[in-house]
Amino acid sequence: MAPLDLSTLSNLTRILIAVGLGFGFGFCLERAGFGDARRLAAQFYFTEMRVLKVMFTSIITAMLLLFWGVALGWIDYAALWVNPTYLWSGILGGFILGLGFILGGYCPGTSLVAAATLKIDGLVFVLGCLAGVFVFGEVVPGLRGFWEQHAFYGRLTLADWFGVPAGVAVFGVMCLAVSMFWGAEKLEAIFGGKARGGSS
Amino acid sequence: MIVRSRSKRKSGPRKSPPARRQAESKAESQARSTSKSQAGSKVNPKGAAALFALLAAFALMLVGLPGSEARLARLEPELNRQLASREYHIDPGELMDLMYNNKLHLFVIDVRDEVDFNLFHLRDAIWKPVVQMSAECCRRLRAEGIKVVLSNDEVRAEQAWKHLTANEVLNVYILAGGVNLWLDIYKDGLPGPPHEAITGVGDDTLRHEIDSALGHVPEFALPPHDLVGRREYPTKVKVARPVAVEGGGCG
């Protein structure tokens, strides 16, 4: 029964698995072009929607595999970690992340991808991330009350929130994804075409 | 003197002869049909992928995820093994320690009849018999925290434990010996058997005589703090997921 209990493996094995998964993830990000800040920032100007397409594709792929595994009895859904929902801290943190993303052209993961290919802006972004992490660590005792006391919903999924079966939620997300892909293509045609025409 | 013909000529492009017009229109129609056939044989990969994903999601919606009965049937052998090993049966002393531990969220769930619950129940216990444990109830219980189910002995508590565990509620434990043993120790002052000797054998009826509906008022509903640690027991409560959130995400 999945998910596998990695705690039964040795430390070295777990480290090697983590390294392998990290390598694969970074490889896929780089191959998708996420080591280029211009492509990442273009998302916010609707000229290139690669980030949305790749990320949402990965989301729906994992979602289908996961829930089909549960439906077939191969995966114990209860044993999977689902990040608890801290609503207001999630909204505020997402806003801050988005601000940094559009200013710097990277998110933390893609900055590592860029740094791995020795892009100077990626390296600087990584240093900025580390500085931010350090500062946050120093002030976190004063902030803990905010995310623990404001809108903590525990393990909350879309199916729980809407009160529908998980399969209905999966289908709803899939419809949303397909419509967003279609919309992204349209935006690229509108804004991406203008940008290319303006720059020529 | 040049004489021009007065025959009327329409203005416009010079028309090609009929034979050439026929050849040109035939070539055009052949070109259109070729492009149509080529377009028909090419499948739009994006559309195909989107259609496949939608069909997979639609099929999943129809198939649905296993319900609680199906999950229980699938998990029952393993659950029975866990119950037989008593790894989820916690000592009354451990429960009392948990009741005084303000670093954990503790839910004491009393699954007995309402009459027994009104006669006596532990401080802050929630009355919730198994038949009332709906999917919504289980969903709310999935929140972080330790849940301890209890009955007069262990029969109903074990049923409730299986039901909650099959419904994906984690960190559920059973009070070993039930309310009867709790009252033996904290009401009657008996030392109680060692934890290893608690078998939970009983027909789940309340053995103690309680004359009136005391609820959680008596002192033994939450024994004094100086009794914490008096009983020796193996610690069995392990939080299946960390209480504090660790961050995660693709960054």
Side-chain angles (χ1 to χ4, degrees), chain A residues 50-173:
Chain A
R50 180 183 299 233
V51 174
L52 180 141
K53 292 178 192 175
V54 170
M55 289 301 179
F56 229 121
T57 301
S58 64
I59 287 170
I60 59 179
T61 303
M63 179 182 69
L64 280 176
L65 290 174
L66 177 69
F67 281 97
W68 266 111
V70 174
L72 295 173
W74 296 341
I75 295 177
D76 183 3
Y77 185 57
L80 290 173
W81 168 256
V82 175
N83 273 356
T85 298
Y86 292 83
L87 187 60
W88 285 116
S89 58
I91 290 171
L92 180 60
F95 178 77
I96 295 171
L97 181 83
L99 201 62
F101 198 157
I102 196 168
L103 284 174
Y106 293 110
C107 64
T110 52
S111 68
L112 291 172
V113 173
T117 52
L118 302 180
K119 290 191 174 68
I120 294 175
D121 57 350
L123 289 166
V124 173
F125 198 98
V126 170
L127 291 176
C129 281
L130 293 174
V133 168
F134 175 77
V135 170
F136 181 79
E138 293 300 306
V139 303
V140 70
L143 296 173
R144 188 175 289 277
F146 171 66
W147 75 69
E148 284 183 349
Q149 293 167 17
H150 291 82
F152 171 63
Y153 291 98
R155 176 181 163 140
L156 183 66
T157 63
L158 286 174
D160 297 332
W161 190 33
F162 287 109
V164 298
V168 174
V170 167
F171 183 68
V173 170

Side-chain angles (χ1 to χ4, degrees), chain A residues 1 81 86 107-109 185, chain B residues 46 74 139 168 241 245 251:
Chain A
M1 169 67 65
W81 168 256
Y86 292 83
C107 64
E185 301 267 294
Chain B
K46 292 180 187 176
R74 178 169 53 83
R139 189 191 68 75
E168 303 172 353
R241 286 200 288 262
V245 171

Side-chain angles (χ1 to χ4, degrees), chain A residues 38-52:
Chain A
R38 290 166 297 180
R39 283 205 177 119
L40 296 172
Q43 172 80 22
F44 298 97
Y45 302 99
F46 303 132
T47 54
E48 186 172 347
M49 305 294 280
R50 180 183 299 233
V51 174
L52 180 141

